[in-house]
Amino acid sequence: NPVKKIPDSHEITLQHGTKTVSALGLDPSGARLITGGYDYDVKFWDFAGMDASLQAFRSLQPCECHQIKSLQYSSTGDVILVVSGNSQAKVLDRDGFPVMECIKGDQYIVDMTNTKGHTAMLNSGCWHPKIKEEFLTCSNDGTVRTWDVNNEKKHKSVFKPRSVQGKRVIPTTCTYSRDGRLIAAGCQDGSIQIWDRNMSVHTKFHCRQAHAPGTDTSCLTFSYDGIVLASRGGDDTLKIWDIRQFKKPLNSAERLPSFFPMTDCCFSPDDKILVTGTSVKKGGGSGKLFFFYRETFQKMYEIEVTDASVVRCLWHPKLNQIMVGTGNGLAKVYYDPVKSQRGAKLCVVKTKRKERQAETLTQDYIITPHALPMFREPRQRSTRKQLEKDRLDPMKSHKPEPPVAGPGRGGRVGTHGGTLSSYIVKNIALDKTDDSNPREAILRHAKEAEENPYWVAPAYAKTQPKTVFAEVEPEDDETDKPEWKKRKI
């Protein structure tokens, strides 16, 4: 019975936060889980290091104030791709430290192939299954771009999905095929477009009416054998396509509500079951996980997860455990003690560590010693005795040093300091001899110029042999002026 293959006999709940868990990622070995949400947090969970209290060992906000759209470990598990609501995807290492950040494109260039990066909000992203340095992102600027981790300055290649009229359409999700040769994108006009990874101009396959136009296709995923593509539409459907006959779907399931642009679907490890989650309005029942046969597309099983929407689901092939991200901030892990490996089984068996009770100290009063009577100095009855005592004290009876006159002596510097600069300042810069009358300042040199003419006098020797100076005008006497004409000082 295929239903018995579903590992759902036990579950654990990881509390990510209070807002939607919109991204889940498991490393290839299944040792670490990462969750990202609408609260901008990315949390790291280590199954081997966690005990039954189920606490995340690290929490960070890699993209400040942007919702996390997608998290994925690379094929080797050493780096993590973070796609958030801004236009620059980030790559972190296993411990959450930044490795690279994609460049932002120039939003004033019309042709998107000429910009080096995305210019609008990202929608989705994923790693290449075989080439460990390459990843893919799609954005609201109407492009799907491939990148190299070692080159953050420019994308590798650009794919531009087009509508029937040849106009730009926005890709809402993107993925690689299992062998990495094809790139698929689901677009806002309801189409699914697939390119050869090496030929970015024309699509290899496309289906125009894959889903209802104007709805956001939230997930595309290839089966493990690489023949079949499953798509989760914003029109509340789940469809399955044979990419060799890509005109109409092999099967489709309806009435699967989806309110989130990242509601996804995934194949079981044996490739025979397809899983997706459903969304519910607040107080409108439970979000469920639905299981369909891949061949007949009959609903074979369902799990009521929680009283909120089911956004993300991930069935790890090595662990054989199902991870679910929900709309109320929970990440649930379903497992079976017999059929599942490691993962959640490791941390459930560990008892919670007892918190060490800190030894509490009884509060004693702190008494300053000199407040006690035995230490208190006796009060002096007369001041004369005190003055006699002070006279004997060499410190108290020391005469203060007189100010130093002159350049300085006895190791003390004079009032203007002993340096050359202070000497110059004192003698030159502070020379305040100000001739307020410039005429007199010039006429001071008149006699010398008359005796020894050199500059001006020879020039005027013919035209003005006798130097004529202006008469000094007597100052206007302001006493006889009316009050309003007098100059105010």
Side-chain angles (χ1 to χ4, degrees):
N1 183 3
V3 175
K4 287 186 177 167
K5 289 184 181 173
I6 298 170
D8 73 323
S9 60
H10 294 59
E11 65 172 90
I12 61 168
T13 303
L14 310 174
Q15 184 73 45
H16 171 87
T18 53
K19 296 190 177 169
T20 303
V21 175
S22 53
L24 285 176
L26 257 172
D27 71 337
S29 65
R32 275 194 186 171
L33 173 71
I34 39 174
T35 57
Y38 277 12
D39 53 0
Y40 324 132
D41 283 341
V42 171
K43 291 201 172 173
F44 290 71
W45 315 80
D46 190 1
F47 289 124
M50 207 160 42
D51 60 14
S53 61
L54 305 177
Q55 297 297 316
F57 75 90
R58 180 162 296 136
S59 174
L60 48 106
Q61 292 191 351
C63 306
E64 280 87 36
C65 299
H66 293 285
Q67 295 172 349
I68 308 297
K69 300 275 188 86
S70 167
L71 293 169
Q72 195 185 5
Y73 276 93
S74 66
S75 56
T76 52
D78 53 350
V79 280
I80 304 161
L81 172 64
V82 180
V83 175
S84 67
N86 63 357
S87 58
Q88 295 164 277
K90 282 192 176 180
V91 177
L92 311 177
D93 66 5
R94 274 183 74 82
D95 298 315
F97 296 106
V99 174
M100 66 103 53
E101 181 178 27
C102 297
I103 195 166
K104 190 177 188 332
D106 187 340
Q107 62 232 35
Y108 300 107
I109 294 178
V110 177
D111 185 4
M112 281 295 139
T113 33
N114 295 333
T115 66
K116 294 178 179 174
H118 287 296
T119 60
M121 175 180 86
L122 296 174
N123 288 320
S124 179
C126 68
W127 287 101
H128 191 287
K130 299 279 194 286
I131 306 167
K132 65 173 186 166
E133 290 94 12
E134 188 183 306
F135 62 92
L136 181 70
T137 55
C138 67
S139 159
N140 274 4
D141 62 6
T143 60
V144 178
R145 294 173 198 255
T146 57
W147 301 82
D148 191 316
V149 173
N150 305 317
N151 178 20
E152 56 186 41
K153 294 280 180 269
K154 194 176 189 299
H155 58 252
K156 274 173 95 170
S157 56
V158 182
F159 301 87
K160 293 196 282 190
R162 293 279 181 240
S163 65
V164 187
Q165 294 85 20
K167 291 182 179 169
R168 184 174 81 174
V169 291
I170 292 174
T172 54
T173 181
C174 58
T175 188
Y176 282 104
S177 61
R178 293 284 172 183
D179 56 4
R181 289 184 188 160
L182 301 177
I183 287 174
C187 305
Q188 270 187 346
D189 64 345
S191 65
I192 296 175
Q193 307 190 19
I194 302 178
W195 296 267
D196 188 312
R197 178 177 157 270
N198 303 319
M199 315 243 298
S200 62
V201 181
H202 298 295
T203 56
K204 192 166 184 183
F205 317 105
H206 63 261
C207 179
R208 290 283 168 209
Q209 263 75 41
H211 289 281
T215 61
D216 291 2
T217 305
S218 59
C219 178
L220 293 176
T221 182
F222 280 89
S223 61
Y224 287 97
D225 58 15
I227 301 166
V228 173
L229 173 71
S231 65
R232 179 75 164 95
D235 53 359
D236 300 348
T237 60
L238 174 68
K239 296 187 180 181
I240 193 163
W241 311 78
D242 189 329
I243 57 169
R244 295 165 298 188
Q245 296 135 20
F246 203 53
K247 288 287 164 265
K248 62 178 202 295
L250 294 173
N251 278 306
S252 83
E254 317 245 320
R255 293 199 290 280
L256 299 168
S258 164
F259 304 151
F260 291 88
M262 62 281 294
T263 305
D264 60 358
C265 54
C266 65
F267 285 92
S268 64
D270 63 358
D271 235 5
K272 291 182 178 159
I273 304 169
L274 189 56
V275 191
T276 189
T278 60
S279 303
V280 289
K281 288 197 164 67
K282 205 168 186 181
S286 300
K288 293 180 181 175
L289 211 53
F290 284 103
F291 295 80
F292 297 93
Y293 289 114
R294 173 179 151 180
E295 296 302 322
T296 60
F297 236 58
Q298 286 177 316
K299 188 172 82 173
M300 59 183 283
Y301 195 62
E302 63 179 62
I303 301 174
E304 282 199 13
V305 180
T306 180
D307 56 351
S309 305
V310 175
V311 184
R312 286 282 187 184
C313 58
L314 193 147
W315 196 332
H316 196 270
K318 272 193 184 166
L319 301 184
N320 194 20
Q321 297 178 9
I322 302 171
M323 320 281 160
V324 180
T326 69
N328 56 359
L330 308 178
K332 292 207 168 197
V333 183
Y334 291 95
Y335 67 99
D336 188 295
V338 182
K339 302 183 202 103
S340 298
Q341 310 294 319
R342 300 175 61 78
K345 286 167 63 179
L346 297 177
C347 56
V348 176
V349 293
K350 291 185 186 171
T351 54
K352 289 187 188 180
R353 294 190 195 95
K354 280 188 179 172
E355 291 178 14
R356 291 197 193 91
Q357 291 296 322
E359 291 81 24
T360 54
L361 294 168
T362 54
Q363 187 66 45
D364 283 336
Y365 290 108
I366 298 170
I367 299 169
T368 53
H370 292 286
L372 297 169
M374 61 184 285
F375 290 111
R376 209 174 285 151
E377 287 183 4
R379 272 181 60 215
Q380 291 291 333
R381 295 294 159 88
S382 69
T383 53
R384 191 169 60 84
K385 277 186 182 173
Q386 184 62 41
L387 286 169
E388 283 173 5
K389 256 189 187 175
D390 290 351
R391 197 46 65 235
L392 295 170
D393 187 355
M395 289 298 289
K396 287 186 178 176
S397 60
H398 179 68
K399 181 186 174 188
E401 293 287 331
V404 180
R409 65 168 186 278
R412 291 170 66 208
V413 178
T415 46
H416 68 268
T419 59
L420 175 66
S421 59
S422 61
Y423 173 77
I424 292 168
V425 166
K426 189 158 190 263
N427 291 330
I428 297 164
L430 300 178
D431 186 18
K432 291 275 194 308
T433 53
D434 179 23
D435 287 311
S436 54
N437 192 340
R439 174 192 161 86
E440 283 172 16
I442 293 168
L443 285 178
R444 209 185 290 154
H445 305 284
K447 191 179 179 201
E448 189 189 329
E450 209 173 285
E451 291 166 3
N452 188 12
Y454 186 74
W455 295 109
V456 181
Y460 290 103
K462 286 183 182 175
T463 55
Q464 195 180 344
K466 181 81 179 78
T467 317
V468 180
F469 292 112
E471 295 294 322
V472 180
E473 293 178 5
E475 292 260 336
D476 287 344
D477 196 23
E478 292 191 356
T479 50
D480 56 345
K481 283 186 184 176
E483 192 69 37
W484 57 275
K485 271 196 176 182
K486 282 184 187 174
R487 197 167 41 172
K488 291 180 176 60
I489 294 165

